[in-house]
Amino acid sequence: MVVGRAAETNPLVGRRRELDTIKRLLEGHRLVTLTGVGGAGKTRLARRVTADLSRVYKDAAWIVELADVTDPDLLGHSVARAIGLQVKSADFDPALITEFLADRRALLTIDNCEHLVDACADLVEDILDSCPGVRVLTTSQRALGLRAESLFQVPPLTMPTAGVDVPVEGLGQYESISLFVERAAAIEPGFAVTAGNAPAIVELVRALEGIPLALELAAARTRVLSPQAMVERLEDRYRLLNRGFRGKVPDRQRSLEASVNWTHDLCTEDERRLWAELSVFRGGFGFEAAEAVAGAGLGDAFLDVLDSLVERSVVRRENLGDGARFRMLETLRLYGERELARAGTTSDVRRRHREHFLGRARHFGATWTGPDQVALLGEMHADHANIRAALHDAIETGDTADALSLIASLEQFWITGGFVSEARRWLDQALAGAESAERGPTLSTGLRVAAWFALMQVDFVSAEAIMQGLRLLAEEPAAADDPVTPAEITLAEGVQAGWTGDTARGVDLIESAVERFAEVDDLSTRCFGLVIGGMLAGFTGETERARAALLQAVALTEERSELYMRSNGLAILGVLKLADGDGDAATATLRDALGMKRILGDQLGTALTLEFLAWVAIAEGRGERAATLMGAATSIWNTLGILLNALPHFAERREQCEQATRSVLSPEEYERAMAAGTAMDPAAAIAYGLEETAAAPAPAAATRARRTEPVKSPLTRREREVALLVQEGLSNQQIAERLVLSTRTAEAHVENILRKLGFTSRTAIASWVAEHQDEVAG
């Protein structure tokens, strides 16, 4: 039987895998501890396991509840009472328990040990030593620390993966959604997932990170709030989830804040301080970053304090190959952020965070042209959210130099990752404060990168405005003593000229800039100039001049085991070989380039190389392959926000390729092959480009369906409402008044819209709304 077990008023939702795992652990270990953040569901899991195993342990399966026990001296009394042992003395002797259990085959479950962890560890160790037939299951936010202990960290409930569309009828497979809907229906009969509320429910459970307590508290709010209304109030989730349950539940489970307060109160002062300072990180962090940013006042104790936060489940460790990263659940991060503000140290810690990631970005730029590009990109992708946070802080505090240096140092990260639109948005914000920025290489490099990104996206108006700033910079006295600024200006002038029709002048200027970058030993920008200049020369028919520049770039990068600029140079050399009539050599060279792009994850370079392979395919009379490659490339171009049909030097050649391909295929064959390419993800497109796989042509019916089915908007319902008001010309404050929101919430919606659509201005949002009326109205 089970003694001391309260009846479960709400059944356990999901958790089949966890239940099976815990039972298996108890078969092989005499002590198993369930750990996890407060509200993760440790108690309910332990109770279910105990109930399920009560038939296995013939003598008994007991549950000892310690939530209301605050005095370690009363631990023994609580255990004795739960197992039915009478204690006749105020002074408790642990031997009473061990003697009672000595010959029994039983399961003892001790719930909520974290605030009595030392006393629990001593008692459990005595039981394990003296009672060979007893197995112990404990729940605690931190381990007991015994040698015999096997730990199981209770994971969040399953949730839909970000970016994956799941039909409404398929959402019930996710435990977090099932729990929320079941508890909401108990409060509001008839509540169910519908096409209308499904997006908000998915966003809500993801924001609450699958924490059962948070989901149940949110479900309790369905008395007065819709899921969408809750999503809009998540910025202050502690206020949103501050009322929940009455009756026989521990105080710490009556609100989200009470649950986290319980954990916070159990921490030492050093642990609380580190928790607060780690809250400046976004999306996780590495050990060295944490030590540099948040370990300043801890000295040699930093390692032990971080280890304690991991043990308490405040910080989670994530294994990534040979390394490890750490992260906090957003709910805990926000709590730490609030504590940091209360301590008055937010600006100091954010400054250290910004300085750390600025140093990392500069290291990226300084070591880019070498053998570590894949590792460098991997590090930056892992810390993308931290880069954004550092940029936001630099711009908010008016430190234009830091912002520009951070953006420009990561030029290749923005390009390879497909983040050019985002980078332009950061550049626009940083350059808005450029009047007060110190003149010199940082400003000139930032302006040159901004001009290049604008030209890349065929935004000639913005590019010219940036160039005017560069020209004014050249006239300032400081430029005379700065060798980098004139080189940056010359290079930018050359690229702009080449991109806007004055190609011969552009190539001359670029070659002049390349010489200057050689003098200042800037290999990365020098190779950039060689490849861009070689490409422009090749497009104007100066093949020998082009080949000389490109071969030089390939030689300089190959000897350093560099991949990025070498693959760009090889791709253009492949086109030159095609122009020479050597299709086989062109294909081989382009495949070499594409293989490097695959290693780097370079989306822009992948799209470009697929385009070039399409040119080779049609030259060889392989129309279906050419159309499929163009479709695959087009899909990536669209993701990057680049219109190839408007891109100088490429538009004419793409049109020629299209016309030639249409001439050898029927309209149906052409559309089918294009659709097959468009449907490929980048990995499949690369495999097809390398001829590792054959294309799977899209059936005609699927093609027709793609044309007739309504397009799903990337924006939530509220974001579509905000976008419509942006189109009307309303300010953030006016939007907030119209929709009855706070101005900060309206600003957040506009920021999300810009990020999701890859835009940098409200004008772009208005234009998008005009072109996507069906999506916005849907």
Side-chain angles (χ1 to χ4, degrees), residues 240-426:
L240 173 68
L241 306 179
N242 68 351
R243 295 185 64 186
F245 314 114
R246 300 186 180 92
K248 295 181 179 180
V249 296
D251 288 342
R252 69 179 185 280
Q253 292 182 8
R254 295 185 188 278
S255 72
L256 184 65
E257 183 161 18
S259 175
V260 182
N261 282 343
W262 168 266
T263 302
H264 194 256
D265 290 345
L266 292 173
C267 291
T268 66
E269 284 299 319
D270 282 346
E271 289 166 356
R272 292 173 189 170
R273 176 180 174 182
L274 184 57
W275 177 350
E277 295 194 357
L278 289 174
S279 72
V280 299
F281 288 99
R282 300 291 191 275
F285 48 88
F287 180 87
E288 280 129 7
E291 188 173 29
V293 174
L298 294 173
D300 294 339
F302 171 77
L303 176 60
D304 291 336
V305 178
L306 177 61
D307 185 61
S308 293
L309 289 181
V310 173
E311 187 183 20
R312 292 186 185 280
S313 302
V314 173
V315 174
R316 298 174 71 95
R317 185 180 188 273
E318 299 175 331
N319 294 319
L320 300 172
D322 295 334
R325 280 178 66 81
F326 304 88
R327 67 181 291 267
M328 282 193 281
L329 293 175
E330 185 66 6
T331 297
L332 299 180
R333 193 197 67 78
L334 289 171
Y335 188 97
E337 189 174 66
R338 189 175 65 181
E339 293 301 304
L340 191 66
R342 286 175 175 170
T345 55
T346 300
S347 59
D348 289 341
V349 182
R350 283 183 178 170
R351 176 183 49 76
R352 294 201 299 268
H353 178 274
R354 183 177 80 238
E355 289 173 350
H356 174 77
F357 284 100
L358 176 59
R360 292 265 303 278
R362 285 173 172 162
H363 173 75
F364 177 100
T367 60
W368 172 250
T369 306
D372 299 324
Q373 290 179 333
V374 174
L376 289 168
L377 288 172
E379 291 173 7
M380 291 302 106
H381 279 290
D383 277 315
H384 193 171
N386 282 311
I387 293 165
R388 287 169 171 160
L391 281 168
H392 184 272
D393 184 62
I395 291 166
E396 190 176 61
T397 57
D399 199 329
T400 300
D402 275 6
L404 288 175
S405 182
L406 213 164
I407 300 166
S409 296
L410 297 177
E411 177 181 355
Q412 295 82 8
F413 166 72
W414 305 115
I415 294 173
T416 59
F419 306 125
V420 171
S421 294
E422 178 188 340
R424 289 189 65 198
R425 188 158 149 262
W426 288 119

Side-chain angles (χ1 to χ4, degrees), residues 137-202:
L137 175 64
T138 68
T139 74
S140 177
Q141 290 186 18
R142 61 184 300 192
L144 301 189
L146 298 177
R147 183 174 299 175
E149 185 176 32
S150 177
L151 299 176
F152 178 79
Q153 187 169 50
V154 176
L157 295 174
T158 58
M159 303 170 282
T161 302
V164 176
D165 288 330
V166 180
V168 173
E169 58 273 16
L171 291 175
Q173 67 182 295
Y174 298 103
E175 296 166 344
S176 55
I177 290 180
S178 294
L179 177 64
F180 175 79
V181 172
E182 184 176 301
R183 300 296 189 259
I187 294 167
E188 287 292 308
F191 183 91
V193 181
T194 66
N197 66 18
I201 291 175
V202 170

